Amino acid sequence: MSQLLQATQPAKRPSALADRSTPFIFNCWYMAGFAGEIGRTLLARTILGRPLVLYRTEAGKPVALDDRCLHRSFPLSKSLLDGDTIVCGYHGMRYDCRGRCLEVPSQKHTPQGLGVRSYQTVERGPLVWIWMGDEAGDESLIPDIDDWTANAAWIGSRGYIPLKASYIALHENLLDLSHLSYLHRNSFGTPDYAKASFRVETDEDNGRFALLRDVVPTRLPPIWAKPTGLEGVDAARIVRSEFCGPSLHVVQVAFYGLDFPEDQRPDQMVRTAHLVTPETATSTHYFLYHARNFALDVSGVTEFMHQSLFKAFEEDRDGLEAVEAMIGACGGDVSEVSFTADRANLAMRRYLKRRAEAEAAARSVSTI
Ligand code: FES
Ligand SMILES: [Fe+2]
């Protein structure tokens, strides 16, 4: 092999990194949906590779059950909701909201102990969370973003993007925002973004990884310049992107004009909760909640920022889906090279791999 080929051959990616073959992490609260999506109509949604049916009881409690009828696998989500029970649309098995079989219409006796699995759900403000772990979920571990998503000092909007890409790739996209200068060159990226200085904070024990980037001086793109009044002036764009767990990533950006003395800078920030729920190894439910703490009563700002932001998030969707298609065309997880800006991502992927494998090992011990 020539020197040149050796030099350009990508190093084999260490197996310590999570990838598409890594088991899902079940012991975690994931967002199952927005509260308004889950109602008295049966909703089919696959989470962590398991097809589920979601609905609300007549009293309003969200319910999540395995979607596969035990008899011949008819989807319960295509069946009939009768009070708080589901009557299978094929041969009529009836299940209660805990998944227990109450009736088999074709025989007098209902076998005891038959049922589909039900999952713990918790409704918090506009979000419904689900726990699919082996033991009961601890509600104190539900990610807490109420201080700004349910706070009158912040105003925002929400959205959902069905993403045909791995949830790990989505977290990587969010933790290294150097792609703003390229993937988002036509929306909220600026040419100087990728070259701006950054630092990394890692807390391997608690599974938190952050990348902080100060883009100073810069000119803000219209999405931020218009609502902050910082059009055409030298400004600072201070970004913190943090992986808070497998199901949540928070990106915060603060802005100020450089002509403000340090003690008079306005407190102008945006925050986005990227709520990441794996659907399959190569697809993700990507929920978003975005808010700002400025221009709260200025008409049209929420709509303007929502339209601009979701245009940018669709660029992420298109980029990540192109990556997923390329990896699929190459036969699955491939060797990659990594750079300094990937340091937080590599730590995050090592953490995901360790946690997933520890969970899978514990599961296999308990089933021996
Ligand atoms: S498939 Fe559901 S009752 Fe037969
Ligand atoms: Fe992006």
Side-chain angles (χ1 to χ4, degrees):
M1 186 180 290
S2 74
Q3 287 290 317
L4 180 61
L5 276 176
Q6 282 182 355
T8 56
Q9 188 76 19
K12 188 157 174 51
R13 186 161 40 79
S15 61
L17 301 180
D19 59 23
R20 289 155 191 79
S21 64
T22 304
F24 290 125
I25 293 170
F26 286 88
N27 292 326
C28 175
W29 288 97
Y30 292 95
M31 183 170 160
F34 287 111
E37 290 182 284
I38 300 170
R40 295 290 295 161
T41 301
L42 297 170
L43 173 68
R45 179 157 287 165
T46 294
I47 298 179
L48 305 181
R50 296 200 76 131
L52 306 180
V53 55
L54 306 174
Y55 67 100
R56 266 179 208 278
T57 64
E58 289 181 320
K61 168 93 177 96
V63 175
L65 305 176
D66 274 338
D67 196 19
R68 187 183 76 81
C69 177
L70 293 174
H71 178 222
R72 289 294 181 270
S73 302
F74 192 80
L76 297 181
S77 56
K78 294 187 185 305
S79 300
L80 177 73
L81 182 59
D82 180 20
D84 288 349
T85 68
I86 297 182
V87 179
C88 177
Y90 199 175
H91 312 95
M93 274 181 79
R94 184 185 293 270
Y95 299 89
D96 72 8
C97 59
R98 292 171 61 187
R100 296 172 302 198
C101 173
L102 301 180
E103 183 187 1
V104 177
S106 57
Q107 61 186 46
K108 282 206 174 93
H109 301 293
T110 304
Q112 293 299 298
L114 264 189
V116 295
R117 184 170 171 192
S118 67
Y119 299 90
Q120 198 175 342
T121 59
V122 173
E123 187 164 0
R124 288 270 166 86
L127 313 183
V128 173
W129 297 89
I130 186 167
W131 177 272
M132 297 174 69
D134 302 318
E135 311 293 333
D138 176 352
E139 294 187 18
S140 72
L141 299 178
I142 294 174
D144 184 7
I145 49 175
D146 287 358
D147 58 334
W148 54 282
T149 57
N151 180 334
W154 293 79
I155 188 166
S157 65
R158 65 185 75 166
Y160 169 69
I161 296 175
L163 178 67
K164 293 185 181 61
S166 143
Y167 85 101
I168 298 168
L170 175 56
H171 275 300
E172 284 209 290
N173 165 281
L174 295 164
L175 200 45
D176 173 20
L177 296 178
S178 63
H179 71 270
L180 263 75
S181 298
Y182 299 93
L183 195 62
H184 299 302
R185 61 190 174 278
N186 297 320
S187 57
F188 58 15
T190 52
D192 50 354
Y193 199 100
K195 295 188 186 307
S197 64
F198 65 90
R199 59 195 187 281
V200 167
E201 293 175 0
T202 61
D203 177 354
E204 304 246 356
D205 292 340
N206 294 303
R208 292 182 85 100
F209 306 93
L211 194 141
L212 297 81
R213 182 177 266 112
D214 296 350
V215 194
V216 187
T218 191
R219 292 292 171 104
L220 299 178
I223 176 178
W224 308 133
K226 283 188 180 171
T228 55
L230 293 171
E231 283 177 291
V233 301
D234 285 338
R237 182 175 183 178
I238 310 296
V239 185
R240 178 184 180 86
S241 181
E242 183 168 9
F243 170 96
C244 308
S247 63
L248 177 66
H249 202 112
V250 176
V251 178
Q252 171 179 295
V253 191
F255 313 97
Y256 54 84
L258 294 187
D259 53 350
F260 282 100
E262 195 167 337
D263 58 348
Q264 290 174 34
R265 287 175 189 160
D267 176 30
Q268 298 190 122
M269 275 190 284
V270 292
R271 277 190 200 146
T272 308
H274 301 262
L275 296 136
V276 176
T277 303
E279 179 183 44
T280 68
T282 55
S283 62
T284 304
H285 300 290
Y286 184 12
F287 300 100
L288 289 140
Y289 190 93
H290 170 76
R292 68 181 189 278
N293 72 347
F294 57 91
L296 299 184
D297 337 316
V298 184
S299 153
V301 171
T302 301
E303 182 62 18
F304 168 72
M305 289 178 75
H306 182 89
Q307 295 299 339
S308 308
L309 263 183
F310 275 78
K311 177 175 180 292
F313 295 146
E314 284 165 9
E315 292 166 346
D316 288 306
R317 177 199 62 201
D318 293 349
L320 286 167
E321 292 187 352
V323 166
E324 201 65 53
M326 176 61 78
I327 290 173
C330 294
D333 284 300
V334 292
S335 292
E336 297 167 332
V337 293
S338 294
F339 303 109
T340 308
D342 296 307
R343 191 154 66 83
N345 270 329
L346 296 177
M348 180 268 292
R349 286 175 65 183
R350 278 194 299 272
Y351 166 79
L352 285 176
K353 177 91 169 186
R354 270 201 318 275
R355 188 165 156 183
E357 288 192 335
E359 212 184 81
R363 201 170 301 123
S364 66
V365 166
S366 70
T367 55
I368 287 172

